Structures are given as C-alpha cells and as structure tokens.
Amino acid sequence: MEWESDERELKAAGAELLPEGRRGLRIHGWEIESRKRSILTSLQLQQWEEELQTSHLPEMVFGDNSLVLKHVNTGTKIHFNAFDALVGWKREALPPVEVPAAEQWKFRSKPLQQVVLDYDYTFTTPYSGSATFDTNAERVRGLSNESSCSLQWEDCMEKIDLVALASKEPILFYDEIILYEDELADNGISLLTVKVRVMPSGWFLLLRFWLRVDGVLMRLRDTRLHCLFGEHMKSVILRESCWREATFQALSSKGYPSDCAAYSDPSTISERLPIIMQKTQKLSIEIPCKQ
C-alpha cells in the first residue's frame, strides 16, 4: 500500500508535494523524491553487465528505482540506486560463501553447464549511498559526472538519537524502495532496500543489505542517515554504518534456533548477530564544493 500524506500536516510543517506526478515532497530547502519502476529488461541487463564487466547480476535488479534527497540551495545530493551499489559489490569482490548444495546449483542462463561459483553470488555490497554536488546536470541512474564532485564525510563520535526518532511525530512522507533482490536459487535471500521517512523535524532513512544463506550464514549491513532541519543554507547529516554477521553454527552454539524459518525478518534477529564493523560519519553542507 502506497503512503498517503495528510495535507493539513504538510501545510503545518511548511511542506509541499512534488508536482507532475512525482513522488515526494519539498521541505525546509530539501527536495526528497522516490522512484519505483519495473525490473531491468534483458537488453538493459546486458548493458549493465558490460558496464560492470561481469556476467553475473541479481535475479531482480530494479535499475530505475531510486531515492534522491537534494538540498536545493547548495546542490548537495544524496542518492541511492542499484548501479552504484553493484559497483561496490564488484570492487569489494568477497570470496563466494561455501554452500553444501552448491554443486547442485545451476546458472539460470546456462542450466546445462556445470556450476562454478567463483564470484560473490550473494551480491554483498559495502554501499552506503552516493553523495555528490549536483550542478543540475542529470544522468541516468544518478551516476557522478564531470559537473559533480564527491562530498567528504568526516568520522565523528556523535550518534543518531534513535530514542528521539521513536517519539510520536507526524510522518509527512514514507516510502520503501527495493534496489535488487536474489533468492539464491531458493537457498536464501539477498536483498538491498532503502526506506525513508520525513517528519516536521527532519528526515531519516535506512539502507539495508540483508543476506541469509540457509544453514550457512547471515549478514546484515545497515546504514542509517538522519538530518535535522536547520537553516536553508545549512544542514548536518549523521551517517551510521553497522555491519553484523554470524554463521548458523555460531548461533546454534549460543542456543538460538538453527531453523531457517526463524530468520525471515532481519529486524527481529539483528541483535543476535555480532557487530564486525561500526562507524559514524558527519556531513556538513553549507558551502558547495568548488568546481
């Protein structure tokens, strides 16, 4: 079910919906827009394979899905898309997870050939979003170009106040966007999504990569971003990244269930997975980077 905003709450917060059928809103100098389309066609997949220099992509790639948060006055743009996430997967190039049933797996495109799992078929990505200074030169999939430059995140000790975020405040806009998904030949799930909600006080989003290789491994990579609205020409964004991971064997040794059915929702089992990486960064956007 699609989220429906309340006009009275929007007006009270000084927000307005985007025009011309676009999904999102403008508020306190920010333009926040989500886009959902169908999965890539076979021709588009072939083009992506050529660009990424790979012959492997997830079963379902929502290449035209995106979430864009743009600070209009400074041109700062934070965006989330499948292509950049898969660039991260390709660069990280993790070794393939050993799966007992791997010998019985078959390539979807070449079912009669012997399976050789010599790549990270889980499509695990270190992606935490794309941040650029945009000079209104748009490109497909939000890729950086010559008129854009990357923004610099600084490590910090500050934390996102999740307790404050849990307080009852009108939700002016909410959406969840799937970037890609793969059921690992019915042996688990690999899923990358981004959720966003906008309140009168600011916006908050969760980028989540969730992996479950049945009977073998679970991996959760969460990135949370929070921005409190300030002056139009000044905003501070906190970004927290937390990676968790555990084998089914390790969880079972601690008395947790070994049944895969008990791990269908990453939100309910995240605390059972030990942290392997955690960091917080800050982005201050007041003066656009020089061209």
Side-chain angles (χ1 to χ4, degrees):
M1 180 180 295
E2 294 289 344
W3 174 261
E4 294 184 5
S5 300
D6 186 296
E7 291 185 7
R8 291 173 299 179
E9 293 177 344
L10 286 170
K11 185 176 181 179
E16 61 178 355
L17 296 177
L18 295 179
E20 302 173 354
R22 296 161 64 196
R23 182 166 175 77
L25 79 171
R26 296 190 180 107
I27 182 171
H28 289 281
W30 284 93
E31 185 175 280
I32 301 169
E33 181 177 6
S34 64
R35 179 180 297 179
K36 297 182 188 179
R37 301 290 187 268
S38 58
I39 62 175
L40 294 182
T41 65
S42 57
L43 178 59
Q44 290 172 322
L45 282 172
Q46 183 178 352
Q47 293 173 340
W48 278 45
E49 288 177 349
E50 292 175 358
E51 289 187 58
L52 291 165
Q53 297 184 339
T54 182
S55 58
H56 310 290
L57 287 175
E59 285 178 319
M60 292 177 284
V61 179
F62 295 87
D64 292 320
N65 283 9
S66 64
L67 173 66
V68 179
L69 305 99
K70 184 174 180 178
H71 192 254
V72 179
N73 287 333
T74 63
T76 301
K77 185 170 73 170
I78 300 172
H79 50 110
F80 302 84
N81 60 85
F83 189 89
D84 288 355
L86 288 169
V87 168
W89 158 74
K90 188 70 164 44
R91 287 175 179 170
E92 189 174 23
L94 293 177
V97 177
E98 294 294 333
V99 181
E103 294 181 359
Q104 300 174 9
W105 287 20
K106 297 182 183 298
F107 285 129
R108 289 175 289 273
S109 58
K110 302 175 182 178
L112 300 180
Q113 294 188 13
Q114 183 179 2
V115 175
V116 179
L117 295 178
D118 57 355
Y119 67 101
D120 175 23
Y121 62 86
T122 71
F123 301 102
T124 298
T125 178
Y127 185 61
S128 58
S130 308
T132 57
F133 176 73
D134 192 359
T135 55
N136 296 322
E138 298 293 333
R139 274 191 70 185
V140 177
R141 297 191 297 274
L143 300 181
S144 301
N145 54 60
E146 291 182 354
S147 61
S148 298
C149 58
S150 298
L151 301 173
Q152 298 301 315
W153 294 85
E154 299 178 357
D155 293 338
C156 67
M157 300 300 293
E158 299 171 59
K159 297 291 183 182
I160 295 175
D161 190 345
L162 296 178
V163 175
L165 281 170
S167 63
K168 291 187 177 180
E169 188 179 8
I171 297 178
L172 307 176
F173 177 69
Y174 171 84
D175 209 352
E176 178 177 5
I177 303 100
I178 299 176
L179 299 181
Y180 61 74
E181 181 176 0
D182 197 304
E183 295 184 352
L184 308 182
D186 295 325
N187 283 268
I189 183 71
S190 171
L191 178 65
L192 182 65
T193 63
V194 58
K195 299 179 183 180
V196 63
R197 59 184 167 105
V198 184
M199 298 77 65
S201 65
W203 54 259
F204 174 75
L205 68 84
L206 169 63
L207 175 72
R208 168 167 284 175
F209 174 79
W210 165 237
L211 171 70
R212 189 189 73 244
V213 183
D214 291 343
V216 181
L217 176 72
M218 280 184 289
R219 181 179 288 155
L220 188 63
R221 293 185 172 184
D222 283 348
T223 300
R224 292 174 170 84
L225 280 78
H226 183 220
C227 175
L228 286 171
F229 294 135
E231 301 174 4
H232 282 3
M233 290 300 292
K234 185 176 182 180
S235 286
V236 176
I237 303 167
L238 288 179
R239 180 172 71 181
E240 290 185 7
S241 298
C242 182
W243 295 4
R244 297 174 180 267
E245 185 172 317
T247 63
F248 273 76
Q249 183 178 3
L251 291 170
S252 180
S253 68
K254 295 180 179 179
Y256 293 125
S258 57
D259 182 9
C260 300
Y263 302 103
S264 59
D265 183 0
S267 297
T268 60
I269 58 92
S270 62
E271 295 302 320
R272 298 181 184 179
L273 306 180
I275 296 173
I276 62 172
M277 191 283 289
Q278 190 171 26
K279 65 179 178 181
T280 305
Q281 296 172 301
K282 178 169 60 176
L283 177 66
S284 299
I285 51 176
E286 183 173 7
I287 303 174
C289 55
K290 297 179 180 179
Q291 300 301 304

